PDB file of all heavy atoms in Angstrom:
ATOM      1  N   ARG A  36     -12.853 -13.989  11.851  1.00 91.00           N
ATOM      2  CA  ARG A  36     -13.453 -12.793  12.432  1.00 91.00           C
ATOM      3  C   ARG A  36     -14.784 -12.424  11.787  1.00 91.00           C
ATOM      4  O   ARG A  36     -15.584 -11.699  12.375  1.00 91.00           O
ATOM      5  CB  ARG A  36     -12.486 -11.619  12.317  1.00 91.00           C
ATOM      6  CG  ARG A  36     -11.199 -11.792  13.109  1.00 91.00           C
ATOM      7  CD  ARG A  36     -10.255 -10.639  12.864  1.00 91.00           C
ATOM      8  NE  ARG A  36     -10.829  -9.367  13.290  1.00 91.00           N
ATOM      9  CZ  ARG A  36     -10.318  -8.180  12.957  1.00 91.00           C
ATOM     10  NH1 ARG A  36      -9.252  -8.112  12.195  1.00 91.00           N
ATOM     11  NH2 ARG A  36     -10.888  -7.068  13.389  1.00 91.00           N
ATOM     12  N   LEU A  76      -3.038 -22.273   0.692  1.00 97.00           N
ATOM     13  CA  LEU A  76      -4.131 -22.189  -0.274  1.00 97.00           C
ATOM     14  C   LEU A  76      -3.667 -22.565  -1.677  1.00 97.00           C
ATOM     15  O   LEU A  76      -4.386 -23.260  -2.412  1.00 97.00           O
ATOM     16  CB  LEU A  76      -4.723 -20.779  -0.265  1.00 97.00           C
ATOM     17  CG  LEU A  76      -5.391 -20.353   1.048  1.00 97.00           C
ATOM     18  CD1 LEU A  76      -5.862 -18.904   0.967  1.00 97.00           C
ATOM     19  CD2 LEU A  76      -6.547 -21.273   1.412  1.00 97.00           C
ATOM     20  N   TRP A 143      -2.238  -9.880  -6.226  1.00 98.00           N
ATOM     21  CA  TRP A 143      -3.208  -8.962  -6.844  1.00 98.00           C
ATOM     22  C   TRP A 143      -3.547  -7.868  -5.833  1.00 98.00           C
ATOM     23  O   TRP A 143      -4.184  -8.114  -4.822  1.00 98.00           O
ATOM     24  CB  TRP A 143      -4.463  -9.720  -7.250  1.00 98.00           C
ATOM     25  CG  TRP A 143      -5.413  -8.948  -8.139  1.00 98.00           C
ATOM     26  CD1 TRP A 143      -5.315  -7.649  -8.547  1.00 98.00           C
ATOM     27  CD2 TRP A 143      -6.609  -9.461  -8.739  1.00 98.00           C
ATOM     28  NE1 TRP A 143      -6.364  -7.310  -9.355  1.00 98.00           N
ATOM     29  CE2 TRP A 143      -7.173  -8.408  -9.490  1.00 98.00           C
ATOM     30  CE3 TRP A 143      -7.257 -10.694  -8.700  1.00 98.00           C
ATOM     31  CZ2 TRP A 143      -8.364  -8.566 -10.197  1.00 98.00           C
ATOM     32  CZ3 TRP A 143      -8.439 -10.845  -9.417  1.00 98.00           C
ATOM     33  CH2 TRP A 143      -8.988  -9.805 -10.163  1.00 98.00           C
ATOM     34  N   GLU A 170      -7.487  15.706 -11.813  1.00 98.00           N
ATOM     35  CA  GLU A 170      -6.112  15.788 -12.313  1.00 98.00           C
ATOM     36  C   GLU A 170      -5.118  15.233 -11.294  1.00 98.00           C
ATOM     37  O   GLU A 170      -4.203  14.475 -11.642  1.00 98.00           O
ATOM     38  CB  GLU A 170      -5.751  17.235 -12.662  1.00 98.00           C
ATOM     39  CG  GLU A 170      -6.477  17.806 -13.861  1.00 98.00           C
ATOM     40  CD  GLU A 170      -7.872  18.329 -13.517  1.00 98.00           C
ATOM     41  OE1 GLU A 170      -8.210  18.372 -12.303  1.00 98.00           O
ATOM     42  OE2 GLU A 170      -8.610  18.682 -14.453  1.00 98.00           O
ATOM     43  N   HIS A 242     -20.943  -0.577  -7.640  1.00 93.00           N
ATOM     44  CA  HIS A 242     -22.380  -0.842  -7.554  1.00 93.00           C
ATOM     45  C   HIS A 242     -23.098   0.510  -7.472  1.00 93.00           C
ATOM     46  O   HIS A 242     -23.486   0.983  -6.396  1.00 93.00           O
ATOM     47  CB  HIS A 242     -22.699  -1.685  -6.329  1.00 93.00           C
ATOM     48  CG  HIS A 242     -21.958  -2.992  -6.265  1.00 93.00           C
ATOM     49  ND1 HIS A 242     -21.602  -3.701  -7.386  1.00 93.00           N
ATOM     50  CD2 HIS A 242     -21.509  -3.709  -5.198  1.00 93.00           C
ATOM     51  CE1 HIS A 242     -20.974  -4.808  -7.019  1.00 93.00           C
ATOM     52  NE2 HIS A 242     -20.899  -4.826  -5.703  1.00 93.00           N
ATOM     53  N   GLY A 270     -11.216   1.551 -24.341  1.00 97.00           N
ATOM     54  CA  GLY A 270     -10.230   0.639 -24.908  1.00 97.00           C
ATOM     55  C   GLY A 270      -9.525  -0.244 -23.890  1.00 97.00           C
ATOM     56  O   GLY A 270      -8.399  -0.697 -24.140  1.00 97.00           O
ATOM     57  N   SER A 291     -29.018 -14.241  -6.193  1.00 91.00           N
ATOM     58  CA  SER A 291     -27.576 -14.395  -6.409  1.00 91.00           C
ATOM     59  C   SER A 291     -27.256 -15.100  -7.722  1.00 91.00           C
ATOM     60  O   SER A 291     -26.246 -14.786  -8.367  1.00 91.00           O
ATOM     61  CB  SER A 291     -26.943 -15.153  -5.237  1.00 91.00           C
ATOM     62  OG  SER A 291     -27.534 -16.426  -5.071  1.00 91.00           O
ATOM     63  N   LEU A 360      10.214  -7.085   4.793  1.00 93.00           N
ATOM     64  CA  LEU A 360       9.042  -6.300   5.171  1.00 93.00           C
ATOM     65  C   LEU A 360       9.423  -5.181   6.126  1.00 93.00           C
ATOM     66  O   LEU A 360      10.334  -5.321   6.944  1.00 93.00           O
ATOM     67  CB  LEU A 360       7.997  -7.183   5.860  1.00 93.00           C
ATOM     68  CG  LEU A 360       7.316  -8.279   5.042  1.00 93.00           C
ATOM     69  CD1 LEU A 360       6.272  -8.975   5.899  1.00 93.00           C
ATOM     70  CD2 LEU A 360       6.677  -7.717   3.794  1.00 93.00           C
ATOM     71  N   SER A 380      -2.678  24.285  14.095  1.00 94.00           N
ATOM     72  CA  SER A 380      -2.944  25.697  14.360  1.00 94.00           C
ATOM     73  C   SER A 380      -1.614  26.428  14.513  1.00 94.00           C
ATOM     74  O   SER A 380      -0.553  25.816  14.654  1.00 94.00           O
ATOM     75  CB  SER A 380      -3.781  25.845  15.627  1.00 94.00           C
ATOM     76  OG  SER A 380      -3.091  25.310  16.748  1.00 94.00           O
ATOM     77  N   GLN A 426      -8.816   8.420  29.456  1.00 94.00           N
ATOM     78  CA  GLN A 426     -10.214   8.021  29.428  1.00 94.00           C
ATOM     79  C   GLN A 426     -10.559   7.690  27.986  1.00 94.00           C
ATOM     80  O   GLN A 426     -10.467   8.553  27.106  1.00 94.00           O
ATOM     81  CB  GLN A 426     -11.149   9.114  29.955  1.00 94.00           C
ATOM     82  CG  GLN A 426     -12.618   8.663  29.992  1.00 94.00           C
ATOM     83  CD  GLN A 426     -13.560   9.717  30.557  1.00 94.00           C
ATOM     84  OE1 GLN A 426     -13.190  10.868  30.757  1.00 94.00           O
ATOM     85  NE2 GLN A 426     -14.803   9.334  30.809  1.00 94.00           N
ATOM     86  N   ASN A 452     -15.407   5.081   6.156  1.00 59.00           N
ATOM     87  CA  ASN A 452     -15.014   3.693   5.926  1.00 59.00           C
ATOM     88  C   ASN A 452     -16.216   2.899   5.442  1.00 59.00           C
ATOM     89  O   ASN A 452     -17.364   3.270   5.711  1.00 59.00           O
ATOM     90  CB  ASN A 452     -14.490   3.054   7.224  1.00 59.00           C
ATOM     91  CG  ASN A 452     -12.975   3.062   7.311  1.00 59.00           C
ATOM     92  OD1 ASN A 452     -12.285   2.966   6.301  1.00 59.00           O
ATOM     93  ND2 ASN A 452     -12.452   3.177   8.514  1.00 59.00           N
ATOM     94  N   THR A 494     -15.066  25.550  13.098  1.00 87.00           N
ATOM     95  CA  THR A 494     -16.169  26.508  13.296  1.00 87.00           C
ATOM     96  C   THR A 494     -16.645  26.519  14.746  1.00 87.00           C
ATOM     97  O   THR A 494     -17.423  27.390  15.133  1.00 87.00           O
ATOM     98  CB  THR A 494     -17.361  26.164  12.387  1.00 87.00           C
ATOM     99  OG1 THR A 494     -17.936  24.906  12.783  1.00 87.00           O
ATOM    100  CG2 THR A 494     -16.936  26.079  10.935  1.00 87.00           C
ATOM    101  N   ALA A 516       1.853  13.429  15.769  1.00 97.00           N
ATOM    102  CA  ALA A 516       0.841  14.412  16.175  1.00 97.00           C
ATOM    103  C   ALA A 516       1.059  14.861  17.616  1.00 97.00           C
ATOM    104  O   ALA A 516       1.003  16.063  17.927  1.00 97.00           O
ATOM    105  CB  ALA A 516      -0.555  13.826  16.008  1.00 97.00           C
ATOM    106  N   LEU A 535       9.513   3.192  25.177  1.00 53.00           N
ATOM    107  CA  LEU A 535       8.468   3.363  24.162  1.00 53.00           C
ATOM    108  C   LEU A 535       8.781   2.591  22.883  1.00 53.00           C
ATOM    109  O   LEU A 535       7.903   2.091  22.207  1.00 53.00           O
ATOM    110  CB  LEU A 535       8.309   4.842  23.815  1.00 53.00           C
ATOM    111  CG  LEU A 535       7.069   5.548  24.375  1.00 53.00           C
ATOM    112  CD1 LEU A 535       6.997   6.951  23.851  1.00 53.00           C
ATOM    113  CD2 LEU A 535       5.806   4.805  24.081  1.00 53.00           C
TER     114      LEU A 535
END
Side-chain angles (χ1 to χ4, degrees):
R36 296 176 62 193
L76 296 176
W143 192 356
E170 291 83 8
H242 303 328
S291 58
L360 294 183
S380 61
Q426 183 178 11
N452 262 328
T494 66
L535 255 185

